[in-house]
Amino acid sequence: MKILIVDECEFVRNSVEKQFTDVLKGLPIIFQNTECSKSAITTLKRAKNSVLRKINLIIIELNLAIDNKLALMNYMVTVKDNFTPVIIIGTADKWVFELVGNIALSFNLNLIASVDKPLITDDIYNIIQNNKHIFGTEKTVCWSIPPCETVDITNNLNKEGLSLYYQPKIHIQTNRIVGFEALSRICVDDNIMLNPDYFLPILEREKLTCKLTKLVLEDALLHWETHTKLKDYQLSVNISANDMLSEVLVRDIIRQYRQHKDIALTLELTESSPTENEVLILDVIKRFITNGIKVSLDDFGKSYSSLDRLDSIPFDEIKIDKNFVSDLDINSQHQAIVGAVIELGSKLKIKVTAEGVETSSVLEMLESMNCRYAQGYYYSTPIAAPELIAWIDNYNKQFHLTDT
């Protein structure tokens, strides 16, 4: 989701952003910050009728809500925006909040809360708890401290408890969808959906990551097989280097792929720790490639990825870690690193995908660097499996694209 914060004070904007991020840890959020109602209106105008820029929540400081003769509220009335949720924050007497709230309601705006500054965690938690339909369905809210134990996760690591979401990969120059990366979530009860940041360390400790990889691959391949339109797009599934040490899993992956050879499958190699047997892993990668499965080197520049591998393994793709990409437009060091990786990929004839693209300015810089592919919240937050076909149709319609 995209949240627009409107406040004159940069410290307050940063503080609100951090508080929402902490409470909604794991939920995909992009923040846009403005310091006045005029710039907020400009942002909303750009977002109007756009899948990529749509604002899902506005947090506005009380004084800015009423400045310039209620300019922001009047704009929302003019464009008949009575659906975007609004939270008003500020420091004032109760009657002032009530007055502004009554004005917003008389305009038929979707005011969901009025809160004193400074915000506290309980304020944000209560707002989210009372508006789950805004922050995601009841099964997609990811609290920062989920009330669950290891047993809740391990017991729900099955076809019923696992849900897949998909992150689109886009060709920057043509805006065409190239493929999707499968992302896993584990539902531990009716209200809590956990993201990998929370459950992966637990699964690694319990030595259950191979089971997760197997379930994700089975579910994703079935989804692609069920919806023939999806076969126009690549399917990427993550696999850790240590999972490749399991001969049972390796054989199962190859077996599954042979049953679905009309699906363009890519395995994204991830590494969160030093590998135990480098030689064996390189051999397994070669086996995958020999059997027609493409392999991508994920999070390049982070963790334990190395140039040696690019020299010895015919990777199909390098994915630049999002930490180098997200602030590319303002970080000269990251500009140099990303530029070097793109040039390296070009010389080695390996596709380069930039992860973590969240803004148009970063995208424009990547295009100027001749990066061909991008992935990130600028295009979409992860899409729930049942919504994927509709998202594709909507995206292609917006860019006047025909199916690939």
Side-chain angles (χ1 to χ4, degrees):
M1 70 181 307
K2 293 190 177 183
I3 298 178
L4 174 62
I5 303 174
V6 189
D7 197 294
E8 290 178 313
C9 178
E10 182 179 4
F11 174 80
V12 172
R13 296 197 301 268
N14 293 338
S15 176
V16 171
E17 180 175 330
K18 184 179 185 305
Q19 287 174 301
F20 269 83
T21 301
D22 289 344
V23 174
L24 287 169
K25 183 179 181 182
L27 190 68
I29 304 176
I30 300 174
F31 292 95
Q32 291 186 257
N33 297 336
T34 63
E35 59 185 15
C36 64
S37 57
K38 182 178 180 181
S39 59
I41 292 171
T42 300
T43 300
L44 292 175
K45 285 181 178 179
R46 291 173 180 168
K48 192 173 182 294
N49 299 323
S50 172
V51 172
L52 301 184
R53 295 179 177 144
K54 180 182 177 183
I55 301 297
N56 305 105
L57 173 66
I58 301 172
I59 302 172
I60 182 169
E61 202 275 331
L62 178 65
N63 292 327
L64 296 182
I66 59 178
D67 74 339
N68 295 323
K69 298 181 180 180
L70 307 171
L72 181 57
M73 290 191 192
N74 278 312
Y75 169 77
M76 296 179 73
V77 172
T78 301
V79 297
K80 299 180 180 179
D81 183 356
N82 59 353
F83 48 85
T84 301
V86 177
I87 298 173
I88 294 177
I89 62 175
T91 304
D93 292 335
K94 184 178 179 180
W95 70 267
V96 178
F97 276 107
E98 290 179 349
L99 174 63
V100 176
N102 287 334
I103 293 173
L105 293 176
S106 69
F107 284 171
N108 201 28
L109 301 181
N110 187 13
L111 179 66
I112 63 171
S114 297
V115 187
D116 280 315
K117 288 196 299 186
L119 271 68
I120 60 175
T121 300
D122 284 349
D123 291 332
I124 299 173
Y125 179 90
N126 289 331
I127 291 171
I128 295 168
Q129 186 76 358
N130 294 329
N131 297 277
K132 290 180 180 178
H133 61 291
I134 293 171
F135 294 90
T137 66
E138 292 189 354
K139 289 194 175 185
T140 59
V141 175
C142 306
W143 305 115
S144 57
I145 308 176
C148 61
E149 304 293 339
T150 297
V151 66
D152 296 315
I153 294 173
T154 57
N155 286 348
N156 285 282
L157 182 58
N158 50 51
K159 289 185 179 295
E160 290 72 34
L162 183 71
S163 292
L164 292 192
Y165 285 67
Y166 294 97
Q167 184 89 50
K169 184 192 304 181
I170 307 294
H171 189 285
I172 294 175
Q173 285 75 25
T174 65
N175 284 319
R176 286 192 174 276
I177 304 168
V178 176
F180 294 88
E181 176 184 353
L183 304 171
S184 55
R185 305 286 187 266
I186 294 179
C187 183
V188 294
D189 65 25
D190 290 338
N191 295 312
I192 299 172
M193 186 78 79
L194 302 179
N195 75 344
D197 288 343
Y198 187 86
F199 65 73
L200 269 182
I202 294 173
L203 295 184
E204 288 173 355
R205 187 182 68 221
E206 299 296 319
K207 301 189 183 304
L208 288 171
T209 55
C210 285
K211 181 178 180 180
L212 173 67
T213 301
K214 183 177 185 294
L215 287 171
V216 170
L217 182 62
E218 287 177 352
D219 201 359
L221 287 174
L222 178 61
H223 193 197
W224 249 242
E225 198 64 58
T226 303
H227 302 278
T228 55
K229 176 183 286 190
L230 294 178
K231 293 183 180 180
D232 292 333
Y233 307 104
Q234 299 168 7
L235 169 63
S236 297
V237 174
N238 291 300
I239 183 171
S240 73
N242 285 329
D243 282 353
M244 290 185 178
L245 299 175
S246 169
E247 179 62 20
V248 174
L249 177 63
V250 171
R251 289 181 179 178
D252 186 74
I253 291 173
I254 294 173
R255 176 190 61 80
Q256 288 196 58
Y257 174 68
R258 286 175 176 171
Q259 295 174 355
H260 303 279
K261 279 199 167 183
D262 55 342
I263 296 174
L265 176 64
T266 296
L267 295 177
E268 295 194 6
L269 174 62
T270 62
E271 295 176 278
S272 59
S273 61
T275 54
E276 300 175 14
N277 192 326
E278 185 80 11
V279 175
L280 178 58
I281 289 171
L282 295 181
D283 180 63
V284 169
I285 294 174
K286 292 175 182 177
R287 286 170 61 187
F288 285 144
I289 294 172
T290 300
N291 280 277
I293 301 172
K294 294 180 179 179
V295 180
S296 168
L297 186 55
D298 199 13
D299 298 334
F300 188 76
K302 179 188 175 186
S303 300
Y304 300 91
S305 59
S306 68
L307 293 175
D308 291 342
R309 292 197 166 176
L310 296 182
D311 184 50
S312 58
I313 297 294
F315 285 105
D316 180 68
E317 173 190 47
I318 304 170
K319 299 188 77 174
I320 307 175
D321 183 74
K322 62 184 178 182
N323 290 326
F324 298 112
V325 175
S326 59
D327 63 350
L328 188 65
D329 52 339
I330 58 174
N331 190 319
S332 58
Q333 288 183 320
H334 288 174
Q335 290 170 16
I337 293 170
V338 171
V341 175
I342 293 171
E343 185 177 356
L344 177 65
S346 176
K347 289 180 178 179
L348 295 177
K349 294 182 171 52
I350 300 175
K351 290 186 293 188
V352 175
T353 298
E355 299 181 286
V357 178
E358 298 182 355
T359 64
S360 58
S361 58
V362 167
L363 186 66
E364 289 167 3
M365 183 160 287
L366 287 168
E367 186 170 13
S368 70
M369 292 177 167
N370 295 318
C371 183
R372 295 184 64 187
Y373 304 100
Q375 188 175 328
Y377 295 166
Y378 174 81
Y379 292 105
S380 176
T381 57
I383 306 153
E387 302 168 5
L388 187 56
I389 297 297
W391 185 91
I392 292 172
D393 290 340
N394 195 10
Y395 179 93
N396 286 338
K397 181 179 180 181
Q398 180 173 335
F399 286 97
H400 308 289
L401 301 171
T402 57
D403 290 339
T404 56

